[in-house]
């Protein structure tokens, strides 16, 4: 493929060399921009359109950034947040009344369980 499209693809490939590209954070930013565009179409507030354009600009900035380490760190913060949010949906976090130790208990609809603290042995009852 050495036609015009081939040259264009090659040029783009060369341009992207050493640049960060896309990641999950960029996807989230772009989805947020689309949501803002839809809200703008519904409510007609110019601030929504401006914010949407800024988000798209941010996504492009991150995609073409050569500071890959910093962009990866930003993405890592998002991934960590998402995995914590996922964890919180599956578990309750309680604090031991004896020693304030955090204890993770799996969620089960409306059951009452006896929890015993692995650190100090205090027992307490919780509805999970
Ligand atoms: Zn304890």
């Amino acid at each position: 493929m050495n036609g015009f499209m081939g040259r264009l693809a090659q040029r783009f490939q060369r341009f992207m060399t050493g640049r960060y590209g896309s990641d999950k954070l960029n996807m989230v930013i772009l989805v947020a921009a689309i949501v803002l565009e839809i809200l703008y179409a519904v409510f007609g507030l110019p601030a929504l359109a401006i914010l949407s354009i800024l988000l798209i600009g941010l996504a492009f900035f991150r995609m073409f950034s050569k500071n890959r380490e910093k962009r990866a760190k930003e993405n890592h913060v998002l991934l960590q947040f998402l995995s914590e949010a996922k964890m919180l949906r599956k578990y309750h976090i309680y604090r031991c009344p004896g020693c304030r130790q955090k204890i993770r208990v799996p969620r089960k609809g409306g059951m009452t369980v006896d929890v015993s603290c692995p650190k100090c042995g205090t027992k307490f009852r919780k509805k999970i």
Side-chain angles (χ1 to χ4, degrees):
M1 207 171 93
N2 273 329
F4 175 70
M5 289 310 284
R7 280 202 302 277
L8 204 66
Q10 244 176 20
R11 200 172 279 183
F12 184 69
Q13 225 166 37
R14 209 171 307 139
F15 174 72
M16 285 308 287
T17 303
R19 292 178 197 270
Y20 184 65
S22 198
D23 59 11
K24 192 149 191 173
L25 178 56
N26 257 10
M27 290 296 126
V28 170
I29 290 170
L30 288 174
V31 168
I34 291 166
V35 169
L36 284 173
E37 279 296 328
I38 293 167
L39 289 176
Y40 172 63
V42 174
F43 298 109
L45 291 171
L48 295 170
I50 293 166
L51 203 60
S52 168
I53 290 165
L54 288 177
L55 284 179
I56 291 167
L58 177 66
F60 272 96
F61 165 77
R62 295 190 73 254
M63 203 150 70
F64 299 136
S65 171
K66 287 190 171 178
N67 193 346
R68 300 164 69 127
E69 201 180 315
K70 202 165 176 189
R71 301 291 88 79
K73 264 185 197 160
E74 291 163 358
N75 190 49
H76 184 72
V77 169
L78 173 77
L79 294 181
Q80 218 161 21
F81 172 78
L82 290 177
S83 83
E84 241 163 74
K86 200 173 176 186
M87 206 260 296
L88 281 177
R89 260 189 293 142
K90 282 188 187 161
Y91 298 95
H92 274 295
I93 308 289
Y94 294 119
R95 275 203 187 271
C96 168
C99 68
R100 311 298 297 155
Q101 166 76 34
K102 279 187 189 171
I103 301 166
R104 201 176 69 171
V105 182
R107 282 178 190 271
K108 279 170 196 151
M111 266 174 65
T112 305
V113 291
D114 292 312
V115 183
S116 72
C117 174
K119 199 173 161 194
C120 70
T122 302
K123 289 188 186 349
F124 55 101
R125 183 163 280 194
K126 282 283 178 192
K127 202 174 169 203
I128 55 173

